[in-house]
Amino acid sequence: MRTESQTPVHYDARSIRLHWITALLVVLLWCIGETIDWFPRGTARVTMRSLHISLGVLLGVVIVYRIWWRSTGGLRLPTAETGRLQALATAVHFLLYLGVVAAVVLGIANVWVRGDTIFNLITIPKFDPANKPLRETVEELHEVAANTLIVLAAFHAGAALVHHYLWKDQVLRRMLPGIR
């Protein structure tokens, strides 16, 4: 573990914004995905599904931009850990990016396979209307990706809290908005 004087104070403002927008969208999308079926069939459910799809597309745009920003302009801070902890942190970050991409791609596939109406304005035709096993498989894969992503995100948040409250280092502060 690095000492406070070795750990830079914060990431650049754009990386911080992209991080928190991504986190907010992931949690919001997961919550909506878990509660869509609570809404009665008809306009209420179509609205929630449409919101879920729209926010999923927004998450896709954000993650593509975030990956581009990270690879071209984002501030890269020295790692806060060494050895096995650094390998674990790197693996979790990679899996978080992979999980977001997988959930978004599978969500788009799910919309296409099942066919959907978005806000009763746009109708996406079913890819193969008679293929119920395909629909069920894609929907299940999307759910598995989303659930795995939310577990990884919770682990990531838990690690940040361990850094802040137990190890009392500056790792969490590097990604908090408005702290300079």
Side-chain angles (χ1 to χ4, degrees):
M1 180 171 20
R2 293 181 186 272
T3 65
E4 283 186 38
S5 63
Q6 293 174 309
T7 305
V9 179
H10 58 84
Y11 284 92
D12 61 280
R14 187 175 301 173
S15 294
I16 292 170
R17 278 192 308 272
L18 289 169
H19 173 271
W20 290 106
I21 290 168
T22 302
L24 175 67
L25 286 170
V26 165
V27 171
L28 186 57
L29 281 160
W30 186 82
C31 289
I32 292 170
E34 290 297 307
T35 60
I36 284 174
D37 291 335
W38 296 0
F39 292 86
R41 291 189 185 273
T43 303
R45 191 175 297 184
V46 167
T47 299
M48 290 311 292
R49 285 194 59 75
S50 300
L51 183 62
H52 185 75
I53 293 164
S54 300
L55 291 174
V57 169
L58 177 60
L59 178 59
V61 170
V62 168
I63 199 66
V64 167
Y65 182 70
R66 189 170 174 189
I67 291 168
W68 172 81
W69 175 248
R70 183 175 166 90
S71 65
T72 63
L75 179 62
R76 300 202 79 154
L77 297 180
T79 60
E81 301 296 344
T82 58
R84 289 184 181 163
L85 281 177
Q86 177 53 38
L88 178 61
T90 300
V92 169
H93 280 104
F94 175 79
L95 290 172
L96 283 166
Y97 278 96
L98 182 64
V100 170
V101 170
V104 168
V105 168
L106 287 165
I108 291 168
N110 194 29
V111 168
W112 189 28
V113 167
R114 70 181 285 131
D116 259 304
T117 301
I118 301 176
F119 296 112
N120 287 322
L121 298 172
I122 300 168
T123 300
I124 300 167
K126 291 182 180 182
F127 171 71
D128 186 0
N131 195 342
K132 189 176 178 183
L134 176 64
R135 177 181 166 191
E136 290 171 351
T137 299
V138 172
E139 187 172 331
E140 186 175 317
L141 289 172
H142 177 59
E143 289 176 14
V144 167
N147 288 335
T148 302
L149 176 59
I150 206 74
V151 167
L152 278 169
F155 180 78
H156 176 67
L161 293 174
V162 165
H163 274 279
H164 189 72
Y165 290 109
L166 293 180
W167 296 343
K168 299 188 186 305
D169 59 19
Q170 298 297 309
V171 170
L172 177 60
R173 291 181 59 89
R174 300 187 322 173
M175 194 51 83
L176 289 178
I179 296 187
R180 301 284 175 251

